[in-house]
Structure formats: structure tokens, C-alpha cells
Amino acid sequence: MRTKDLFDFGPVFGYFFRKNDPNRKTNFNLRTMHFINKLSMSMFLVGFIVLLYRWFIR
């Protein structure tokens, strides 16, 4: 595995901005799981940005 492959964020952004597939059934559990995943990734990114701000700006 190359270093470039470790920093490939394409699938992450695709997860956030993909369209709903009309052929796939959804239910409450699946929608809730995806919401929690998106929320946790967003919170991680905000925390990471805060850490970078504290390390480099202050």
C-alpha cells in the first residue's frame, strides 16, 4: 500500500454526497445507522480541525 492510497478521501466524500438508490429498500434502522455514521465523521473532522488550529495557529 502506498502513502497516496492512505490519503484517498474520495470514498468518504462520496458517502456524504451520494444520491439515494430507488431500487434499494430502506427502513428506520438503516437510515438511523447512516445518520449516526455521518454525524460521527462530522464530529471527528470538526475535532481534528480544532486540534490543527490549536497546534499551528496559537
Side-chain angles (χ1 to χ4, degrees), residues 41-58:
M41 284 191 278
S42 300
M43 290 174 64
F44 172 79
L45 289 175
V46 168
F48 188 68
I49 291 169
V50 168
L51 283 175
L52 289 176
Y53 172 77
R54 287 182 181 177
W55 286 339
F56 293 114
I57 303 299
R58 279 191 181 178

